[in-house]
Amino acid sequence: MDKGVLATALGSPAPFGQSQFAFMRGNAFEAKVKADGGAELLRLLYERLGGGAPEPAGDAAAPDLSAAGPEGRAARTALALREATAAGGWALLDHPMLALEVAGSPAYLEPDAVVVHPDGRWTVVEIKSFPMIDASADASKVGAAARQAAVYVLALERVAAVTDGAEVGHQVLLVCPKDFSNLPTASVVDVRKQRAVTRRQLTRLTRIEDIAAELPEGTTFDPACAPDELDAAVAAVPPAYAPECLAACELAFHCRAKSRAEGAVEALGRSVRGELGGLTTVAGVLAAAAGKEGDPADPTVAALRRAAALRAEALESAAALRAGSIGDHAGSGDDGTGGAGGTGSAAGAGGASEGRS
C-alpha cells in the first residue's frame, strides 16, 4: 500500500520530501566515497575499526549482488556474505539487500554498504551528506543515523546466525563530508542501545494478521474508493499519532487533523501525554484545571489546578501593575499640563505688563 497516494486520496497529502538538490548532493558524495572500488571507504574503516587485520591493499572483493526482486537480492546478499566470510579477506558489499521480519511480514532494507573483515566481522557503513565539523556532527542527525543503522544490524544478525565464523559488529561507520568540503571523513558510532530498543519494539508490534483479522469484512484501502469509505477504512485501524510522526509517515497529517478534531492530548506530544495520566482530551485537561472535573486526590489534577492558580495569580499581578503604570502616566500628564498652563499665564501676564509700560 502506497501511503503517499492514500494520504492524497484522503485530502491530506504530505507536503514534505527531500529536495532534488539534496538527492543529487547525497548521491554525488556517496559516489565519491565509493570510487576506485571503495578504496577511500576501506581506508577510513581500517583507520577506525581495522583492529589487527592486514590493511586492505586494493584487492577487496566486491561481489555482484544483482538479482530479480527484493527477495532474490536478499538471498544473493546472504550468499555473498557467507562466501566473503569463508574467503577470509576484505569484501565490500555495495547496497546489499537485507530482510527483517516486522509484525510478521518481511521488510526489505538496503544499507549504503556492508564491509566484511578478514576475521569474519561485518560492519555496517552509513554515508550521510550532513557535515562533520571539527569531528562533530549534528546530534539529532547522528541519532537518526544510529537508529537506522541499528535496524540493519538486526537484519544482518539473522544472516550471521546461520553463517560459520560470522559476527556482526555493534559499531557502525558513519561517513560524512569533512567541515565545509566534499572530502569524506568518518566516525564510529556504537549502536548497542539503539539495537536493544529497536529489538524490543519489534517484539511488541502487533502482527499484521492480527490487525487484519479485526477489520470489518470488506474493508479496503483502495485510493479509488469514495472519500467517506476510505476515511472509514483508515479509521478502522486505530492510529498512535505523535508530532514525531510528521517527519516519517505520509499519513501523519491526516492523523494529526483527526487528533486535533477529537481534542486528543496526543497532538501535544508523547511527553505531555505521559504527564497527563488518565486525562485524554484537551477539554478534560482544561476542566480539571478549572476545578470542574477530576479527582482532587489525583496528583495530575492537583498539579493542573496548582498551575492554573499560579497562572491566574500571575495574570492578576500583571494587570495590577499595568493599571498602576497607566495611573502614574496619567498623573504625570496632569502635572505637566498644569505646569504648561501656568507658564503660559505667566508669559501672558509678562507680555501684558510690558504692553502697559
Side-chain angles (χ1 to χ4, degrees):
M1 180 177 63
D2 189 331
K3 291 197 293 182
V5 175
L6 184 59
T8 301
L10 287 167
S12 302
F16 63 83
Q18 194 172 18
S19 69
Q20 288 300 314
F21 174 76
F23 273 122
M24 293 172 60
R25 182 183 60 185
N27 291 338
F29 179 69
E30 182 175 340
K32 183 181 181 68
V33 172
K34 294 179 178 178
D36 301 323
E40 181 66 12
L41 173 57
L42 291 171
R43 183 189 68 79
L44 291 170
L45 184 137
Y46 182 76
E47 286 179 356
R48 290 155 179 81
L49 292 170
E55 185 176 355
D59 56 350
D64 180 15
L65 303 178
S66 58
E71 187 175 356
R73 288 183 59 198
R76 182 68 188 91
T77 296
L79 177 60
L81 285 167
R82 287 193 289 268
E83 291 175 346
T85 303
W90 290 97
L92 173 62
L93 279 67
D94 184 12
H95 283 289
M97 183 66 73
L98 307 174
L100 181 66
E101 184 176 307
V102 178
S105 297
Y108 294 100
L109 315 167
E110 187 175 347
D112 292 324
V114 172
V115 175
V116 178
H117 298 240
D119 60 0
R121 185 158 41 104
W122 301 348
T123 298
V124 172
V125 178
E126 269 298 289
I127 302 173
K128 299 297 184 183
S129 60
F130 56 82
M132 196 175 291
I133 302 173
D134 292 335
S136 179
D138 184 283
S140 62
K141 294 179 180 179
V142 173
R147 291 189 293 272
Q148 182 179 351
V151 180
Y152 300 147
V153 168
L154 285 173
L156 279 172
E157 287 177 346
R158 297 183 60 193
V159 183
V162 294
T163 304
D164 293 335
E167 177 189 3
V168 182
H170 293 160
Q171 291 183 314
V172 304
L173 188 73
L174 177 62
V175 182
C176 299
K178 182 178 181 181
D179 298 328
F180 299 101
S181 70
N182 201 36
L183 299 175
T185 187
S187 178
V188 175
V189 181
D190 193 318
V191 299
R192 283 178 292 183
K193 180 180 178 180
Q194 291 83 356
R195 171 191 169 277
V197 170
T198 304
R199 185 167 189 160
R200 183 169 63 251
Q201 290 174 337
L202 288 174
T203 58
R204 295 169 61 186
L205 287 177
T206 305
R207 296 178 65 87
I208 293 177
E209 294 87 345
D210 298 335
I211 296 175
E214 295 180 2
L215 295 176
E217 187 176 353
T219 298
T220 177
F221 299 100
D222 185 356
C225 292
D228 291 344
E229 182 181 352
L230 193 59
D231 186 70
V234 173
V237 182
Y241 172 75
E244 294 83 355
C245 297
L246 295 173
C249 180
E250 295 86 344
L251 286 171
F253 291 88
H254 173 77
C255 295
R256 183 180 66 174
K258 292 292 184 182
S259 181
R260 286 177 172 177
E262 296 169 0
V265 297
E266 284 81 356
L268 304 176
R270 290 192 177 101
S271 59
V272 176
R273 175 68 188 90
E275 292 289 340
L276 292 175
L279 300 172
T280 59
T281 65
V282 174
V285 172
L286 294 176
K292 299 176 181 178
E293 294 181 9
D295 182 2
D298 186 339
T300 301
V301 175
L304 286 170
R305 293 180 180 176
R306 175 60 178 161
L310 290 173
R311 178 179 180 274
E313 182 181 340
L315 290 175
E316 184 179 348
S317 299
L321 288 172
R322 194 160 47 245
S325 176
I326 293 173
D328 291 343
H329 283 302
S332 298
D334 290 342
D335 293 342
T337 303
T343 303
S345 300
S353 176
E354 289 174 0
R356 283 194 299 272
S357 300

